[in-house]
Amino acid sequence: MAAPRSYVLWSYCGRGWSRLVRTCGPRGLHSSLPAGSLGVRFLSQEKHATQTHFGFETVSEEEKGGKVYQVFESVAKKYDVMNDMMSLGIHRVWKDMLLWKMNPLPGTQLLDVAGGTGDIAFRFLNYIQAQHQRKQKRQLRAQQNLSWDEIAKKYQDEEDPLGGSHVMICDINREMLKVGQKKASDQGHKAGLTWVLGDAEELPFDDHKFDIYTIAFGIRNVIHIDQALQEAHRVLKPGGRFLCLEFSRVNNPLISRLYDLYSFQVIPVLGEVIAGDWKSYQYLVESIRKFPSQEEFKEMIEDAGFQKVTYESLTSGIVAIHSGFKL
Amino acid sequence: PLWRSVLRELWDINFAPLTVRQTSAAMTTLWLRVSLLYPDHIPTSPLQKALLAAGSAGMALYDPYRHDMVAVLGETTGFYTLKVLRDQMRRDPEGTQILQERPRISLATLDMDKLRSLPEGSFGREYLRFLDVNRVSPDTRVPTRFVDDEELAYVIQRYREVHDMLHTLLGMPTNILGEIVVKWFEAVQTGLPMCVLGALFGPVRLSARKLHVLVSELIPWAVHNGHRAPCVLNLYYERRWEQPLAALRKELGITAVPPCMQGLA
């Protein structure tokens, strides 16, 4: 245990360091060193108790909250444009796949945490509406099965197109919520939405309130992920589902190298050119590297009390959808 | 001091219960911090510089109000030209003083009241008039980030801050024609690729009439003066506020402003 660590330090001091630096550049070193947790965590971590990571930087926990807030405040207006540029539009497919996996029924109460610009919430509403329209079409084709009540209701247009479904969008960042609200009014989503300012680690909701809890690309910015998971467990009804869409570890070594190259060389440049903000996008790609792997995150979800936890890796592990049930 | 904090970080990393991956990440952060040559420095690889140069050039053409893109283009493409400029500055006594003392031009360092109290026709008074008439402020320049040498980072920062002085010296307003003329002057004087590109591609969006005026009168005038004048980065502008503008123009060999642009700056 001591040996690998001092080897790492020594390799930084000698000529190996300048060779490493010249070949890999300042960011690629962690991927060229042997992975895996060889260190044993001691109980006495007082000095590092309130230290956490902000990308590759070490900061105190109070600082991290403020810094993450500033990052999202500055990227809020260009968030969607940058998502499209960085993922070449593939993020839309990932979010669609999350909805397909969710397969919500009318009447579902959804809580979308860190859902600032509303991508998941709008997709949810569209999904429910599309389901409702399909159901109406089926009914119309089989006219003779409609009761008088239903026909009368159709003429009166009383039926709620959402069937009682509702989505609560919760985000810690005011700017992201503002952008989301504007998008909602532009796209014409009026009913079935509520916007709430709140912290994922301390949700402003009662226990056993929601059927589904989703968090898409938000949980890696939370300071205490275990607390966020416990809050998720708290606010879900028994039988409720937890779904998390997040960047994860790539399992293929070739794609991993290309992905690292793209992440560290191209994405901050895109951030600078399009949004005028290099550092926020540097934080983004670093925070992706700091997030635990699919298996580790699965264990964290199980620790929070969820059962039947599964995960599905998309695009060879660039993102993963984790799902768990509160039983 | 930096070395003490670096040693402390190394000590912490050595004795902290970190995994191999965390140790390497911590060492990377430490290396980055040590390798920063100046406070705003962002180290970039050659690939990143190439992508930045291409992206910023495209974005600057697409959205002319993105001045930060023009600045980034200058930083990523001007490394060798900046060296030439720095050597030119070193050969001149006033230039070496500037390199040693590193004066900065911003609202904090300028004494606006003193400049306002100077007599009419002096350089400082005319500079202030230029700022007021065109409603610009010396504080809108982005700091240098992508130059990998701290002296050259200062040289390009100085070039940016001196841009407004050049407007005053040449008598050019801040409309598109005036900016292009100043860019041509700077291109001839400094040879920075960003200035050359800006001078060549700036007129792309002009009307035919303006283009005619530009090509027939203004560009020859700018090029002629650019060749005649010594390196404008060598002037310690902060010491020349009281000098009459006409005398300063004579010293640099700048001829009279063309009639079409007179009285606009």
Side-chain angles (χ1 to χ4, degrees):
Chain A
M1 176 192 54
R5 217 188 309 135
S6 47
Y7 164 72
V8 165
L9 278 180
W10 198 243
S11 74
Y12 280 75
C13 302
R15 274 172 301 146
W17 168 250
S18 52
R19 220 183 314 131
L20 270 174
V21 158
R22 258 183 279 122
T23 53
C24 310
R27 49 87 216 141
L29 295 161
H30 65 281
S31 57
S32 54
L33 288 166
S37 319
L38 300 176
V40 168
R41 269 179 220 292
F42 296 119
L43 290 171
S44 57
Q45 277 189 336
E46 300 99 88
K47 205 154 43 123
H48 299 269
T50 54
Q51 296 276 8
T52 179
H53 49 80
F54 178 74
F56 289 156
E57 223 183 302
T58 313
V59 297
S60 71
E61 290 178 348
E62 302 91 39
E63 266 188 309
K64 173 164 180 175
K67 285 183 127 162
V68 171
Y69 192 93
Q70 275 169 8
V71 163
F72 282 95
E73 202 179 21
S74 70
V75 306
K77 294 211 171 67
K78 299 267 175 111
Y79 187 72
D80 293 316
V81 171
M82 282 301 300
N83 277 347
D84 275 330
M85 290 284 130
M86 289 192 290
S87 65
L88 308 169
I90 304 178
H91 74 108
R92 298 169 188 238
V93 177
W94 292 331
K95 288 172 182 161
D96 287 338
M97 287 178 83
L98 178 68
L99 257 296
W100 294 335
K101 199 171 171 99
M102 195 197 296
N103 195 12
L105 297 171
T108 303
Q109 305 298 308
L110 172 69
L111 172 64
D112 183 20
V113 177
T117 52
D119 277 340
I120 303 291
F122 302 151
R123 281 178 168 77
F124 171 79
L125 293 173
N126 291 339
Y127 194 100
I128 302 273
Q129 274 169 347
Q131 258 186 352
H132 180 80
Q133 278 167 359
R134 280 199 297 267
K135 177 172 149 213
Q136 276 195 323
K137 259 202 196 153
R138 276 200 302 270
Q139 282 183 332
L140 283 174
R141 260 190 255 128
Q143 280 278 358
Q144 56 269 33
N145 291 339
L146 278 182
S147 69
W148 281 114
D149 248 337
E150 287 170 7
I151 296 176
K153 268 208 213 128
K154 256 199 237 301
Y155 279 114
Q156 287 163 4
D157 252 340
E158 260 179 29
E159 225 180 286
D160 174 18
L162 290 176
S165 324
H166 190 89
V167 56
M168 198 84 85
I169 306 172
C170 177
D171 199 294
I172 199 173
N173 196 299
R174 223 176 271 274
E175 295 301 315
M176 296 289 278
L177 283 175
K178 274 196 217 162
V179 171
Q181 280 171 324
K182 182 159 183 308
K183 256 173 74 177
S185 62
D186 287 343
Q187 291 180 11
H189 292 286
K190 288 192 265 285
L193 281 177
T194 309
W195 305 85
V196 178
L197 187 71
D199 185 350
E201 295 178 24
E202 239 187 282
L203 289 171
F205 304 111
D206 286 330
D207 302 0
H208 317 306
K209 269 205 82 179
F210 297 100
D211 295 313
I212 307 184
Y213 173 111
T214 55
I215 183 164
F217 301 121
I219 204 160
R220 70 175 189 281
N221 299 307
V222 165
I223 305 173
H224 301 108
I225 298 181
D226 48 342
Q227 268 183 33
L229 292 171
Q230 279 168 18
E231 279 292 285
H233 193 262
R234 180 179 70 82
V235 301
L236 277 174
K237 290 185 200 160
R241 190 174 192 184
F242 167 87
L243 281 166
C244 171
L245 174 68
E246 190 53 77
F247 288 108
S248 204
R249 297 284 158 80
V250 178
N251 32 38
N252 182 323
L254 170 67
I255 298 189
S256 172
R257 276 185 185 269
L258 288 173
Y259 179 53
D260 279 351
L261 186 76
Y262 180 73
S263 292
F264 284 94
Q265 300 296 314
V266 179
I267 288 184
V269 172
L270 277 179
E272 177 63 35
V273 170
I274 299 177
D277 195 346
W278 176 286
K279 300 223 157 154
S280 297
Y281 290 91
Q282 185 75 30
Y283 162 71
L284 168 78
V285 296
E286 289 177 0
S287 65
I288 293 175
R289 298 299 175 297
K290 291 297 247 182
F291 194 70
S293 68
Q294 284 91 325
E295 277 295 328
E296 283 168 35
F297 190 49
K298 174 179 166 201
E299 281 165 28
M300 288 170 79
I301 300 176
E302 281 169 350
D303 284 342
F306 289 100
Q307 320 248 351
K308 287 279 198 207
V309 180
T310 57
Y311 62 83
E312 188 187 334
S313 291
L314 307 174
T315 329
S316 53
I318 296 183
V319 301
I321 301 180
H322 282 77
S323 157
F325 289 91
K326 172 176 175 175
L327 296 174
Chain B
L2 183 65
W3 62 266
R4 183 120 45 101
S5 61
V6 166
L7 276 180
R8 176 170 287 277
E9 283 260 359
L10 272 174
W11 184 266
D12 289 346
I13 292 171
N14 191 25
F15 289 104
L18 299 173
T19 63
V20 172
R21 187 185 283 267
Q22 284 175 323
T23 312
S24 70
M27 287 300 290
T28 310
T29 316
L30 191 60
W31 181 87
L32 269 180
R33 203 149 51 90
V34 171
S35 71
L36 290 188
L37 300 163
Y38 44 92
D40 288 306
H41 187 205
I42 298 179
T44 41
S45 67
L47 173 63
Q48 282 176 320
K49 286 208 177 64
L51 290 171
L52 265 178
S56 60
M59 193 49 127
L61 275 177
Y62 176 73
D63 184 359
Y65 289 100
R66 290 289 300 270
H67 300 296
D68 58 328
M69 287 292 102
V70 178
V72 168
L73 180 62
E75 286 170 30
T76 47
T77 52
F79 196 68
Y80 296 107
T81 323
L82 284 175
K83 280 196 182 154
V84 170
L85 271 178
R86 195 248 327 253
D87 294 338
Q88 263 189 331
M89 284 174 84
R90 277 200 189 145
R91 283 195 288 266
D92 181 84
E94 216 172 333
T96 8
Q97 258 192 332
I98 298 176
L99 281 177
Q100 274 170 355
E101 292 174 26
R102 306 249 177 120
R104 296 290 301 265
I105 301 174
S106 70
L107 280 176
T109 54
L110 288 179
D111 191 350
M112 302 302 259
D113 296 323
K114 188 181 125 201
L115 288 180
R116 224 178 285 280
S117 67
L118 287 173
E120 293 290 318
S122 64
F123 175 60
R125 191 73 191 82
E126 295 304 312
Y127 172 63
L128 208 59
R129 172 172 298 134
F130 164 79
L131 289 179
D132 288 334
V133 164
N134 290 278
R135 283 191 292 251
V136 292
S137 150
D139 271 349
T140 51
R141 307 279 162 206
V142 288
T144 317
R145 278 168 303 163
F146 301 112
V147 179
D148 291 333
D149 178 308
E150 55 117 25
E151 198 172 21
L152 298 181
Y154 174 72
V155 171
I156 202 169
Q157 190 73 40
R158 179 83 182 157
Y159 151 75
R160 269 184 221 150
E161 289 170 358
V162 154
H163 179 80
D164 289 337
M165 313 277 173
L166 290 181
H167 270 281
T168 317
L169 279 176
L170 296 174
M172 290 291 137
T174 50
N175 55 23
I176 186 77
L177 269 186
E179 291 289 350
I180 294 177
V181 171
V182 178
K183 264 292 168 272
W184 273 91
F185 181 83
E186 285 173 347
V188 172
Q189 276 266 310
T190 62
L192 280 169
M194 177 261 288
C195 298
V196 175
L197 285 172
L200 291 174
F201 287 99
V204 150
R205 290 176 183 227
L206 283 179
S207 66
R209 189 171 50 87
K210 285 195 180 154
L211 205 57
H212 177 75
V213 165
L214 190 70
V215 172
S216 59
E217 285 181 38
L218 295 172
I219 290 182
W221 177 80
V223 172
H224 176 69
N225 281 303
H227 279 304
R228 267 167 64 126
C231 181
V232 285
L233 284 179
N234 282 335
L235 294 180
Y236 208 132
Y237 293 98
E238 286 89 338
R239 301 223 177 114
R240 291 169 180 257
W241 296 130
E242 290 94 5
Q243 190 177 6
L245 184 57
L248 188 55
R249 280 186 178 151
K250 198 144 168 250
E251 186 184 331
L252 294 176
I254 295 179
T255 55
V257 179
C260 53
M261 296 290 258
Q262 259 173 9
L264 286 177

